[in-house]
Amino acid sequence: HANAPAARLFWIYALTMGASQGMTTVMALFLASKFAVTERNIGFFFTYVGTISFITRAGFLGKPVTRLGDLPLSRYGMVLLAMGLAGMAFSPNIPVLAFFVALVPLGTAFTFPCVTGLLSRVVSPHERGLYMGVQQTFGGTGRVVGPIYAGWAFDHLGHGVPFYTGAAIVILTITIGTGLEQFIPPRKS
């Protein structure tokens, strides 16, 4: 049932997950080749990403979800994720790179919890566990396929290619979600 709202949310989750995990896989290689980052200072980059992700999810996410709703916020998250991925490949220096890298954990923090929240609202309560499990299976597939593709593309197509294609895939997921508004019941007070 490819057009069913749950199936569309599975694909959104899997594709955006694959794109973000692909970036994580090749980030160290990319930073080493473009910015001469070594094993001595790579930890700063991953700490930076992790800190932004933690602060966004633990301390900030609730208010935007309440104010905007899951669907609009997930779309904003996808735009931020795509901008971050594409911008990383074009970054001429570390400060510009830091800006675009920051968009990635913001984008994922706005996308993944909201997509899961949307899924819980479009399926019947007695099937939620089943659908959440299927979503995680799709996400797990993205976590495997995305990094494999990103590593291959980095080696064979060019160092920026995993970032460009990841951004394009994330933008595609916004179109997959077009029209989902009609299937989302209003939140209960």
Side-chain angles (χ1 to χ4, degrees), residues 154-179:
F154 187 88
D155 285 343
H156 298 287
L157 302 176
H159 294 176
V161 172
F163 301 98
Y164 308 141
T165 55
I169 288 168
V170 172
I171 291 299
L172 172 69
T173 64
I174 295 172
T175 65
I176 294 171
T178 302

Side-chain angles (χ1 to χ4, degrees), residues 26-27 29-35 85 88-90 150-164:
V26 296
M27 189 161 101
L29 300 171
F30 175 76
L31 292 172
S33 70
K34 190 164 182 176
F35 298 105
L85 290 171
M88 285 175 65
F90 292 110
W152 178 85
F154 187 88
D155 285 343
H156 298 287
L157 302 176
H159 294 176
V161 172
F163 301 98
Y164 308 141

Side-chain angles (χ1 to χ4, degrees), residues 63-176:
K63 289 181 183 178
V65 169
T66 301
R67 190 169 3 114
L68 300 173
D70 289 320
L71 189 58
L73 189 59
S74 70
R75 289 178 178 155
Y76 291 134
M78 290 177 231
V79 169
L80 290 173
L81 177 56
M83 288 173 49
L85 290 171
M88 285 175 65
F90 292 110
S91 297
N93 55 47
I94 296 289
V96 172
L97 177 72
F99 171 77
F100 285 112
V101 167
L103 297 180
V104 173
L106 286 172
T108 60
F110 292 158
T111 301
F112 299 131
C114 291
V115 170
T116 300
L118 289 167
L119 181 62
S120 74
R121 292 172 57 205
V122 300
V123 298
S124 65
H126 70 280
E127 293 184 315
R128 258 187 214 136
L130 170 69
Y131 279 84
M132 295 295 164
V134 172
Q135 178 194 31
Q136 290 305 311
T137 300
F138 271 70
T141 302
R143 287 180 190 98
V144 171
V145 173
I148 290 171
Y149 165 76
W152 178 85
F154 187 88
D155 285 343
H156 298 287
L157 302 176
H159 294 176
V161 172
F163 301 98
Y164 308 141
T165 55
I169 288 168
V170 172
I171 291 299
L172 172 69
T173 64
I174 295 172
T175 65
I176 294 171

